[in-house]
Amino acid sequence: MKRAIFLSIICLLAPILFIRANSFVWTTYDTWPNFTKVELKGGDFVGWNNMTVGDFDGLSAQAGDKKSEIAVARGRGQKPEVIIYDGGGNELKRFLAFGEDFLGGVSLTSYDLDGDGTDEFVVGAGPGGTAHVRILDSDGKPKINLGFFAFDKSYSGGVSVAVGKVLNKNDINIIIGSGEWKNPVVRIFSLAGSLLKEIKIKDFPSSLGMKVSVIDLGGDGQGELAVSGTYGSKSWVALYRGDGTRFNNFKVFDNKFIGGVKLIATDLNKTKGEEMIVGSNPADKSKIAIVDGFNKNLKTAQELFTDDTLARGLNVGVGDINSDGIKEIMAMPNYVLADDKNIINKKILVNIKNQELQPIDRGVPLTTFQVSTGKWDMPTPLGDFKILNKSPRAFSQKYNLYMPWWMSFKPSYGIHELPEWAGGKKEGENHLGIRVSHGCIRLGVGPAEWLYDWTPVGTRVEVVDK
């Protein structure tokens, strides 16, 4: 694999809960919104990560005790490692989901695929590599099949993974959502890796990929597909039947929220059908809520703030981590900043008048890059902003162009390398130093990647015209 750098709900706040980078929190349906914090001992998460909760037999102190464990997969920019913890935050083991040199990140879920009482991992490769999907046991060894590719090997936009019975009540399916791709689709596979169905997702609100989940709304043993967007899609969720029919879509949080959401489903209130636990992707605040498939707010949204701005967004999970027979609802940070002091010390200064960009550390400009900002009738916005999200290769559905080393500082505006047509030809190679973009800030080949690596999410961006 190639290398990749890298309901309307009225929000009633619980007492502020500080989540450290190396911890998760849990509550139950009945004790909501009183969360308990658990430190992940030895946790060293930096950047993106993903989480799943399952029964990985033989890992607990008493094998087969049916306690749930928490598995955390590292995201893009880190080696593709999966780390398993018990409910007390103690590390049990870790393994590599893909080759160590792959830095695109790992999406993952867990499910008992062979009916032996133990959950397996289904992992998918993130942006920068092929759309590789693998089934692994808790030692990281292949199981059921040797892996397969969800899309053509030339595709490198990353995938989202889910598991469930969506075509009938008997057969378990692996569900794959496309990543940074201009034609958003969901593909349904057999456990052997055979493609069974493809569903085109219409009116998808984000070019930065999707998240897929399975929810059994009717409690009949056959699940429905839940599709949600990443950054820029607000909190949009759409529900599909296995035959590709979309029967509902809604926004979980208010219209001011733009970060996108991820969700899981389970029966929490012991009624027929499952509910959705929804966590926000990185944006302004980290939110969690419980809703049903008809956008009914079952538990009011809570904001889980972080101390020292160490994390943004939430991973969500559900399981019985203390073996009391009650399902616990879990959340942990989705994005962890490497060093909050770096965020304070770093700034990107863009001067429209001079068509220049300066990365500044502790008040000292490190270098000056020539840029191309918005043309006169589509100007780059002035003011103070911060980096909201990053992607090594974003796609603009509006203009049908790729934007390498994308860093968003305001919805619909970003800093990126000269855009590319699908065939690889660069747009505007001779335009650096001239106002020709549609509002974004373009950098040349080389400087864009350097700035991408230097800049953590949350870095201040100041745009001036003087």
Side-chain angles (χ1 to χ4, degrees), residues 110-120 143-144 163 172 191:
S110 55
Y111 197 100
D112 183 3
L113 299 174
D114 54 8
D116 65 353
T118 302
D119 288 333
E120 286 76 37
K143 195 171 181 181
I144 299 178
V163 177
I172 302 171
L191 293 186

Side-chain angles (χ1 to χ4, degrees), residues 347-353 355-357 371 373-374 379-387 409-410 413-415 439-441 460-466:
K347 181 178 79 170
I348 296 173
L349 176 64
V350 180
N351 190 317
I352 301 293
K353 182 178 180 180
Q355 292 292 285
E356 292 177 346
L357 180 151
V371 297
T373 63
T380 300
L382 304 177
D384 280 324
F385 310 96
K386 65 180 178 181
I387 297 298
F409 63 89
K410 184 180 179 179
Y413 295 92
I415 302 169
C440 287
I441 300 165
R460 180 186 172 197
V461 178
E462 182 181 3
V463 184
V464 300
D465 188 6
K466 58 184 180 181

Side-chain angles (χ1 to χ4, degrees), residues 234-249:
K234 297 186 180 290
S235 55
W236 182 87
V237 175
L239 301 177
Y240 289 80
R241 296 185 179 88
D243 62 5
T245 304
R246 186 166 80 180
F247 61 92
N248 199 7
N249 65 279

Side-chain angles (χ1 to χ4, degrees), residues 296-412:
K296 181 181 178 181
N297 173 22
L298 301 178
K299 293 292 183 180
T300 52
Q302 303 299 317
E303 295 178 0
L304 302 183
F305 293 102
T306 61
D307 56 342
D308 299 325
T309 64
L310 280 172
R312 287 289 182 267
L314 294 173
N315 292 306
V316 289
V318 64
D320 185 3
I321 60 172
N322 53 17
S323 199
D324 62 356
I326 300 173
K327 293 178 181 179
E328 282 81 43
I329 301 159
M330 284 159 271
M332 71 170 290
N334 180 210
Y335 188 89
V336 179
L337 300 177
D339 183 353
D340 185 54
K341 294 180 180 178
N342 264 342
I343 302 302
I344 296 173
N345 293 329
K346 289 184 175 183
K347 181 178 79 170
I348 296 173
L349 176 64
V350 180
N351 190 317
I352 301 293
K353 182 178 180 180
N354 297 333
Q355 292 292 285
E356 292 177 346
L357 180 151
Q358 290 181 319
I360 297 174
D361 192 350
R362 297 173 178 84
V364 178
L366 301 181
T367 187
T368 299
F369 296 128
Q370 195 172 48
V371 297
S372 177
T373 63
K375 53 187 179 180
W376 293 99
D377 58 345
M378 301 181 73
T380 300
L382 304 177
D384 280 324
F385 310 96
K386 65 180 178 181
I387 297 298
L388 300 171
N389 68 81
K390 298 169 60 174
S391 172
R393 188 172 170 81
F395 183 80
S396 170
Q397 292 177 327
K398 183 176 182 180
Y399 298 111
N400 200 35
L401 289 169
Y402 289 95
M403 299 171 292
W405 313 119
W406 166 269
M407 297 190 293
S408 173
F409 63 89
K410 184 180 179 179
S412 300

Side-chain angles (χ1 to χ4, degrees), residues 67-266:
K67 283 184 180 179
S68 298
E69 288 82 43
I70 299 96
V72 182
R74 298 185 185 277
R76 59 178 179 255
Q78 307 168 78
K79 63 182 179 180
E81 196 168 41
V82 176
I83 308 174
I84 304 173
Y85 297 89
D86 65 19
N90 301 296
E91 182 180 328
L92 299 171
K93 62 173 63 177
R94 59 177 68 195
F95 61 84
L96 292 173
F98 300 103
E100 188 169 3
D101 60 344
F102 175 63
L103 302 179
V106 179
S107 62
L108 86 166
T109 189
S110 55
Y111 197 100
D112 183 3
L113 299 174
D114 54 8
D116 65 353
T118 302
D119 288 333
E120 286 76 37
F121 294 104
V122 179
V123 298
T130 53
H132 197 183
V133 178
R134 305 181 73 198
I135 299 173
L136 306 173
D137 65 16
S138 59
D139 291 316
K141 296 178 181 178
K143 195 171 181 181
I144 299 178
N145 67 56
L146 294 178
F148 62 93
F149 296 93
F151 297 102
D152 184 271
K153 290 185 179 181
S154 63
Y155 170 76
S156 60
V159 297
S160 171
V161 296
V163 177
K165 300 175 181 179
V166 295
L167 296 181
N168 58 61
K169 299 178 182 180
N170 300 314
D171 299 319
I172 302 171
N173 307 118
I174 297 176
I175 299 98
I176 303 298
S178 60
E180 298 162 4
W181 203 18
K182 62 181 179 180
N183 297 312
V185 298
V186 171
R187 286 185 169 180
I188 302 173
F189 293 84
S190 69
L191 293 186
S194 299
L195 178 61
L196 303 176
K197 189 172 185 60
E198 178 177 286
I199 301 173
K200 295 181 180 180
I201 307 301
K202 297 181 179 180
D203 305 319
F204 188 66
S206 173
S207 62
L208 297 177
M210 69 176 71
K211 303 293 182 182
V212 288
S213 308
V214 177
I215 176 173
D216 184 359
L217 289 174
D220 60 358
Q222 182 170 340
E224 289 74 41
L225 293 167
V227 178
S228 57
T230 54
Y231 183 82
S233 63
K234 297 186 180 290
S235 55
W236 182 87
V237 175
L239 301 177
Y240 289 80
R241 296 185 179 88
D243 62 5
T245 304
R246 186 166 80 180
F247 61 92
N248 199 7
N249 65 279
F250 51 84
K251 294 174 183 174
V252 182
F253 303 121
D254 60 47
N255 279 326
K256 295 181 180 179
F257 182 81
I258 59 175
V261 297
K262 58 179 64 176
L263 61 92
I264 59 167
T266 191

